[in-house]
Amino acid sequence: QKEVEQNSGPLSVPEGAIASLNCTYSDRGSQSFFWYRQYSGKSPELIMFIYSNGDKEDGRFTAQLNKASQYVSLLIRDSQPSDSATYLCAVIGGFKTIFGAGTRLFVKA
Amino acid sequence: DAGVTQSPTHLIKTRGQQVTLRCSPKSGHDTVSWYQQALGQGPQFIFQYYEEEERQRGNFPDRFSGHQFPNYSSELNVNALLLGDSALYLCASSFAWRGNTGELFFGEGSRLTVL
């Protein structure tokens, strides 16, 4: 079982819609969860982190964490074509950060 | 404020050759992690350097080695290159004193092609 699993997509949504990206993790002891965005040909950049169960909102982005279900999600409201990228879910494992394979998101204008 | 810089940006090698990739961390950062990202995959952890020592290593063979210098910059060396080593190699820097917050700052990467 992979440590972090994501649906590779692609996920295609129309402009203005809500994009929902999902991630599951295997280590029940994981405490910290992250979403990185990676544009094509670029390096990943951190966009959200969440430590506690529930929702965390930052602008158009909402991270959701359910530790009992070992599930993390990222919602992007009012999706824009500029949101088209690969979204990487990550968890901390000791000194390293463990990434999922990423979900490709396409926002159609 | 200089971000994470990596060199070279692109390089082509043949099987069996050796390669050295270089990374300068973001100003004020003291920890460097190296990741390998194959096409369509997420970054895979190779190893992390702190205080000039390898602090944690991922599931990579001994052909992959590294070094950290007193100025916190780092090198990744790969010996006996295989076709499967073709990937984007990412360097990420962070503060050690904050523990592993998961907040990594990535360089733009070195794209290695092995022929």
Side-chain angles (χ1 to χ4, degrees):
Chain A
Q1 182 185 6
K2 291 184 179 179
E3 294 171 283
V4 180
E5 297 210 46
Q6 297 181 253
N7 186 326
S8 63
L11 173 66
S12 184
V13 300
E15 184 175 357
I18 296 175
S20 178
L21 306 164
N22 306 315
C23 169
T24 58
Y25 59 95
S26 60
D27 184 356
R28 186 168 288 277
S30 295
Q31 297 293 320
S32 307
F33 308 89
F34 308 87
W35 285 99
Y36 282 77
R37 177 177 62 200
Q38 186 173 24
Y39 291 113
S40 180
K42 299 295 185 181
S43 59
E45 58 177 332
L46 181 65
I47 56 172
M48 289 284 289
F49 60 87
I50 185 166
Y51 303 145
S52 303
N53 274 329
D55 294 0
K56 178 182 179 182
E57 187 174 316
D58 183 1
R60 296 186 297 110
F61 297 93
T62 299
Q64 299 176 316
L65 173 60
N66 183 326
K67 290 186 179 179
S69 300
Q70 296 176 240
Y71 179 90
V72 192
S73 65
L74 179 69
L75 301 179
I76 306 175
R77 291 182 300 280
D78 187 24
S79 295
Q80 301 297 309
S82 59
D83 295 325
S84 297
T86 296
Y87 290 81
L88 300 162
C89 176
V91 303
I92 287 177
F95 291 115
K96 67 182 178 183
T97 299
I98 304 165
F99 289 87
T103 299
R104 289 174 293 158
L105 172 66
F106 292 108
V107 180
K108 298 174 293 185
Chain B
D1 181 19
V4 181
T5 58
Q6 291 187 244
S7 64
T9 55
H10 295 84
L11 68 167
I12 299 173
K13 293 287 188 177
T14 57
R15 282 177 297 176
Q17 284 190 311
Q18 178 265 345
V19 68
T20 297
L21 308 178
R22 296 175 177 83
C23 171
S24 292
K26 181 179 170 65
S27 178
H29 284 186
D30 57 6
T31 301
V32 172
S33 300
W34 287 93
Y35 287 83
Q36 179 194 67
Q37 187 173 28
L39 199 61
Q41 300 297 315
Q44 296 296 308
F45 178 78
I46 302 175
F47 41 54
Q48 183 183 88
Y49 276 85
Y50 170 65
E51 292 190 337
E52 303 178 47
E53 297 287 334
E54 182 183 291
R55 183 158 72 168
Q56 188 170 1
R57 188 179 184 90
N59 188 25
F60 279 81
D62 292 344
R63 298 187 296 110
F64 290 76
S65 63
H67 189 78
Q68 185 179 36
F69 299 95
N71 66 353
Y72 308 122
S73 67
S74 177
E75 288 182 350
L76 164 64
N77 300 293
V78 187
N79 294 322
L81 285 167
L82 303 173
L83 295 179
D85 295 332
S86 296
L88 180 67
Y89 288 84
L90 294 163
C91 170
S93 73
S94 54
F95 287 112
W97 68 269
R98 295 181 64 186
N100 187 1
T101 65
E103 185 176 10
L104 300 174
F105 292 81
F106 284 91
E108 289 303 312
S110 294
R111 170 100 30 213
L112 171 64
T113 301
V114 182
L115 301 178

